[in-house]
Amino acid sequence: MSAVELLRAELTRAARGLGATDPIETVLDRPRDPAFGDWTTNLAMVLAKPLGMKPRDLARALIAQGDWTRAGVRIAEVAGPGFINFRLETAAVAGRIPEILQAGAAYGRSETGKRTAVVVEFVSANPTGPLHVGHGRQAALGDAVAALLEWTGWAVSREFYYNDAGVQIEKLAASVHARIVEDAGGGLQIPDGGYHGEYIGEIAEQYTAGHPGDRHGRDTDRVREFAVAALRAEQDQDLKAFGVRFDTYYLESSLYTDGLVDETVQALRDGGDTYENDGALWLRTTAFGDDKDRVMRKSDGTFTYFVPDIAYHVTKWRRGFRRAINVQGSDHHSTVTRVRAGLQALRIGIPEGYPEYVLHQLVTVVRGGEDVKLSKRAGSYVTVRDLIDDVGRDAVRYFFLMRRADSQLSFDVDLARTQSEENPVYYVQMAHARMSGIFRVGGIDAAGITGEGVAIDLLSEADELELINALADFPAAVQAAADALEPHRMTTYLHDTAELAHRWYHRHHVLGEAPALTAARLTLARAAQIVLGNGLTLLGISAPERM
RNA sequence: GCGCCAGUAGCUCAGUUGGAUAGAGCAACAGCCUUCUAAGCUGUAGGUCGGGGGUUCGAUUCCCUCCUGGCGCGCCA
């Protein structure tokens, strides 16, 4: 048992001794101020009412009741309105280091997900243009959520769903066709709602060059397929540049060709929540919490996008994914209730909260203090490629992950690039590089540091114990971020931990101290290097050994 | 009008699921390089946690209400 578990067990035992009845929920937190100790509990305040005692009196009684030395406690004291603060023996704090060294690159991983299959769907951009900054935020978020779930023991599949058959694709094809006609000497007629970016002209040129026999783009199927392939290839390049890989690309068109759309419609009818009205087929989604019923099949006989959406999520369930997480822009939030309602109407045992959603707010790009709204190639929006080329992949990832998904994000290009000295991503990377530098300069193999035979209780300075506590909290930080599906908790954790590492590095020397002290501090430097490196790697950000 | 999300330092944003004196980065001011990277460290200043009620030992956090901003509200996707 770790020191915390021993402490919790002893607290619970003490509470029982004073007459508290089960269940006793004993919560141990890190105090706000490290000067208060290593751990704190509000147990006395929680139990004050049921036990009919004043919180501070109860806290004193709890302290008197427990055997604290067994849990490695040096000082237990009452503070504030009734907190009990615990200061552990130095050896109990420093004793956490060997497990970090031993786990190495796996430190922070757990098996709480029990290898259960979960699909994380993100980006899912239609192949009608280059990826924009919103897709970039989604790529960073989705990839990080997937990684968090992997780290906590889920069997994760990253999935990209794309619409290769709808109205938007026809508009893309018509837009490219218009450019081909223009290149061949005809007038330019881009259709209503068509695409105007420069990339359309580039694709038209490539098509003409590759298809000399069809200078006027009369083979519309071929033009469409060419355009879709070209844009998919470009999106793939962008994602590759961003370091994101998908396990599956799911084509919307396959839902039709495989008969899943028809099957879903039939299943919904069998479920009994459909009705015909005004020549259309409706689903009574209001029976499942929606604010209005939804049309499934329009009076012209075609389906609304909502039907393949349901069919698609049925495939996720059928493919064995007991959790499905969708990362989407909050402009799609109205589909949440709708999709869930559709799945419930099927009555096939899909849980009510399926799928889960991580919705993110829009991204604005700021450069020189002003909003940037256009890119050269795409015309109407800023592309993720623009950002990567500008500030680098690590900074783009970090900046997209720094904030909660549901807060609007202002991406300051100047901060991410020009003022690289004050850049938060470099701050964390630098802390890692400094730890690495100690081993490089000392000519020491970092991976060979095991802590065996080292007097780690020589690590007794207040700021090194504080750093050790932070490092020991890494697995809990990963777990909390994964449970909440909130990657920004990791950037916050990493920044805080990097600060402690920088401070420790600045105040204390590792190399050249008395041999026993140097050996002890090397274990801490190695532990910090492992945690910072693992955290950055988890988020898809490089952890350089030198900068 | 209805629904969802947000409102915290001059700016951009955290706040450990209800805890102690509300934090970070940037911007401002003052210090620190003979020693493992100064891409760093130390200090100062900066706040009606949008307003008002409520719940309780205790609220930035939960509930109600109002104000402001973003996004939705189609037989579009």
Side-chain angles (χ1 to χ4, degrees), chain A residues 80-151:
Chain A
F83 292 102
I84 305 174
N85 293 335
F86 298 96
R87 171 69 67 191
L88 302 183
E89 297 290 350
T90 297
V93 176
R96 301 299 300 278
I97 289 181
E99 64 189 86
I100 301 175
L101 302 181
Q102 191 186 349
Y107 182 67
R109 287 187 182 268
S110 67
E111 289 301 325
T112 50
K114 297 173 182 164
R115 311 308 304 164
T116 309
V118 52
V119 56
V120 181
E121 180 204 334
F122 57 108
V123 183
S124 293
N126 287 341
T128 54
L131 299 177
H132 55 66
V133 290
H135 293 128
R137 185 175 195 183
Q138 218 172 95
L141 272 173
D143 201 39
V145 164
L148 283 167
L149 292 171
E150 283 171 344
W151 274 67

Side-chain angles (χ1 to χ4, degrees), chain A residues 113-454:
Chain A
K114 297 173 182 164
R115 311 308 304 164
T116 309
V118 52
V119 56
V120 181
E121 180 204 334
F122 57 108
V123 183
S124 293
N126 287 341
T128 54
L131 299 177
H132 55 66
V133 290
H135 293 128
R137 185 175 195 183
Q138 218 172 95
L141 272 173
D143 201 39
V145 164
L148 283 167
L149 292 171
E150 283 171 344
W151 274 67
T152 50
W154 297 80
V156 180
S157 185
R158 290 168 171 80
E159 190 152 303
F160 187 123
Y161 174 71
Y162 74 95
N163 175 332
D164 58 338
V167 177
Q168 298 306 317
I169 298 294
E170 291 311 319
K171 286 190 170 155
L172 168 73
S175 303
V176 172
H177 179 260
R179 289 289 183 188
I180 294 172
V181 170
E182 183 191 32
D183 290 346
L188 178 61
Q189 286 183 307
I190 291 181
D192 283 348
Y195 297 91
H196 297 262
E198 285 183 5
Y199 66 93
I200 297 293
E202 293 169 12
I203 293 171
E205 282 175 30
Q206 289 160 13
Y207 179 85
T208 307
H211 302 79
D214 187 22
R215 303 191 58 80
H216 297 276
R218 293 201 172 90
D219 189 342
T220 52
D221 283 347
R222 185 165 288 184
V223 169
R224 182 177 57 243
E225 285 165 18
F226 183 86
V228 168
L231 286 166
R232 283 220 52 216
E234 176 168 351
Q235 291 184 352
D236 284 347
Q237 285 300 309
D238 291 348
L239 290 167
K240 195 174 178 185
F242 204 38
V244 176
R245 293 170 56 96
F246 288 90
D247 299 293
T248 308
Y249 288 85
Y250 204 98
L251 280 62
E252 185 189 8
S253 61
S254 73
L255 294 168
Y256 288 94
T257 55
D258 294 347
L260 292 174
V261 172
D262 289 334
E263 193 185 315
T264 299
V265 171
Q266 190 56 49
L268 286 169
R269 290 186 120 152
D270 294 345
D273 289 300
T274 62
Y275 60 91
E276 306 246 2
N277 189 27
D278 293 337
L281 180 66
W282 296 68
L283 181 66
R284 206 182 314 279
T285 52
T286 50
F288 304 96
D290 203 355
D291 56 354
K292 60 181 76 169
D293 290 342
R294 304 292 169 178
V295 169
M296 296 166 57
R297 196 188 59 224
K298 295 179 269 184
S299 50
D300 68 3
T302 62
F303 295 111
T304 58
Y305 72 99
F306 156 61
V307 177
D309 233 19
I310 294 172
Y312 172 48
H313 283 88
V314 170
T315 75
K316 291 183 180 174
W317 180 257
R318 282 191 186 160
R319 282 183 281 152
F321 296 116
R322 287 301 171 263
R323 278 184 86 184
I325 294 162
N326 294 351
V327 183
Q328 296 184 348
S330 62
D331 53 335
H332 287 86
H333 78 255
S334 64
T335 66
V336 174
T337 317
R338 208 172 309 174
V339 168
R340 286 177 177 168
L343 293 172
Q344 290 308 301
L346 288 167
R347 304 174 198 282
I348 55 175
I350 296 178
E352 281 185 28
Y354 191 99
E356 299 159 68
Y357 284 84
V358 174
L359 298 179
H360 67 86
Q361 296 280 340
L362 301 182
V363 178
T364 54
V365 177
V366 178
R367 178 184 282 126
E370 291 186 2
D371 281 7
V372 184
K373 295 194 188 306
L374 305 177
S375 93
K376 273 193 185 135
R377 286 199 67 238
S380 57
Y381 55 87
V382 180
T383 65
V384 65
R385 178 53 73 109
D386 291 339
L387 280 187
I388 296 172
D389 291 347
D390 239 15
V391 306
R393 158 183 148 181
D394 286 344
V396 175
R397 283 228 187 201
Y398 194 92
F399 273 61
F400 278 147
L401 295 174
M402 252 189 331
R403 311 303 187 197
R404 281 165 51 207
D406 53 13
S407 76
Q408 292 171 45
L409 177 72
S410 170
F411 195 111
D412 187 336
V413 175
D414 300 313
L415 178 63
R417 180 192 51 187
T418 310
Q419 304 179 359
S420 62
E421 310 162 25
E422 295 86 15
N423 191 330
V425 64
Y426 289 120
Y427 185 82
V428 177
Q429 289 179 316
M430 187 61 198
H432 178 269
R434 281 185 146 172
M435 298 301 122
S436 306
I438 293 170
F439 296 102
R440 185 177 59 248
V441 171
I444 298 161
D445 174 26
I449 302 283
T450 65
E452 267 181 58
V454 175

